[in-house]
Amino acid sequence: SDYEIDNSLRFDDGDSAYLSRTPASAGNRRTWTLSCWVKRGNFDNNRIIDAYSDTNNWTDIYFNTNVLTFGHNVGGSTTAELESTQVFRDISAWYHLVFACDTTQGTDSNRLKMYVNGSQVTAFGTANYPAENLETHFNNTISHNIGRRGTNNLFFDGYMAEFYWIDGTQLAASDFGELSSTTNQWKPLDSDDVKDAVTFGTNGFFQKYNSTELANSFTNDTYS
């Protein structure tokens, strides 16, 4: 009776596969949440999502080899960066990732939170938190890429499923998943319930990646 994710979207870095969108209008660049399920295909620098203006101005969420990383670059200088000490080397496993940002928070560690399979990441090898009221490049009117970093050759390899982008709200992992009472494993909440409970904002969306009956195309179930 548990909710299950039936399908995912495969990214092959050898094919330079990615999704890209440029918002027509700016949303909230200080407050946003990413939630998605990922399964890595290799140990490369797997890009999950970025907002890219040019080589000197971007905001990035990615696996830097085996660690999770958030980076923000302005004018060629990295002004915010978080890199987990925890490593993620199991390419047979699905990970639920949540990155939740609110740079209006007075406490620096509350401005950007990472969660993996429901648990908040609190140990960082690099911990340069965003400055108060910093505006990230996310939700700006520039190219947003899922599975690629800007215009270079850093792509995601593996699978992604149930990709939520929330514009204007900092949420927690518990807004998207819960522990199973029988297995004690982290599992997704029903996407219909999540969509009813959250506010997507100006540039928010949900992509489910359902395959057709012939499995020759994908329908992106966008919701905003």
Side-chain angles (χ1 to χ4, degrees), residues 35-171:
S35 168
C36 65
W37 290 80
V38 303
K39 182 179 180 181
R40 304 184 69 189
N42 57 37
F43 297 132
D44 292 343
N45 292 325
N46 293 153
R47 259 46 192 186
I48 298 169
I49 186 172
D50 86 333
Y52 183 89
S53 179
D54 54 50
T55 55
N56 294 317
N57 298 276
W58 44 262
T59 306
D60 226 356
I61 293 172
Y62 61 103
F63 286 101
N64 186 2
T65 308
N66 292 319
V67 296
L68 269 175
T69 304
F70 165 87
H72 177 72
N73 213 56
V74 177
S77 298
T78 300
T79 61
E81 185 176 21
L82 288 176
E83 191 168 86
S84 69
T85 56
Q86 182 180 358
V87 295
F88 303 93
R89 297 192 180 112
D90 189 353
I91 59 174
S92 68
W94 281 93
Y95 296 107
H96 179 229
L97 308 181
V98 173
F99 283 72
C101 181
D102 182 2
T103 66
T104 68
Q105 296 282 338
T107 302
D108 60 359
S109 58
N110 289 333
R111 294 176 197 149
L112 184 70
K113 299 178 180 180
M114 296 184 192
Y115 302 85
V116 179
N117 295 338
S119 297
Q120 185 173 350
V121 178
T122 57
F124 298 99
T126 300
N128 181 15
Y129 286 95
E132 189 169 0
N133 292 317
L134 176 142
E135 289 194 328
T136 69
H137 297 295
F138 287 129
N139 294 320
N140 199 4
T141 54
I142 59 175
S143 176
H144 287 57
N145 304 284
I146 296 175
R148 180 183 75 160
R149 156 72 179 296
T151 58
N152 63 22
N153 294 321
L154 297 175
F155 294 90
F156 182 82
D157 190 273
Y159 300 83
M160 294 193 196
E162 301 226 335
F163 198 107
Y164 295 87
W165 183 261
I166 309 298
D167 178 353
T169 311
Q170 184 187 49
L171 299 173

Side-chain angles (χ1 to χ4, degrees), residues 3 5 35-37 146 161-166 176 189-192 194-195 198 200 203-210 219-224:
Y3 174 73
I5 300 174
S35 168
C36 65
W37 290 80
I146 296 175
E162 301 226 335
F163 198 107
Y164 295 87
W165 183 261
I166 309 298
F176 304 95
L189 294 176
D190 190 312
S191 60
D192 288 337
V194 174
K195 290 187 291 183
V198 303
F200 281 84
N203 292 309
F205 60 87
F206 169 65
Q207 292 183 318
K208 191 170 180 63
Y209 309 132
N210 277 337
T219 299
N220 293 336
D221 180 15
T222 57
Y223 185 98
S224 61

Side-chain angles (χ1 to χ4, degrees), residues 169-186:
T169 311
Q170 184 187 49
L171 299 173
S174 57
D175 291 296
F176 304 95
E178 63 183 358
L179 282 175
S180 168
S181 59
T182 56
T183 66
N184 207 38
Q185 290 182 314
W186 190 251

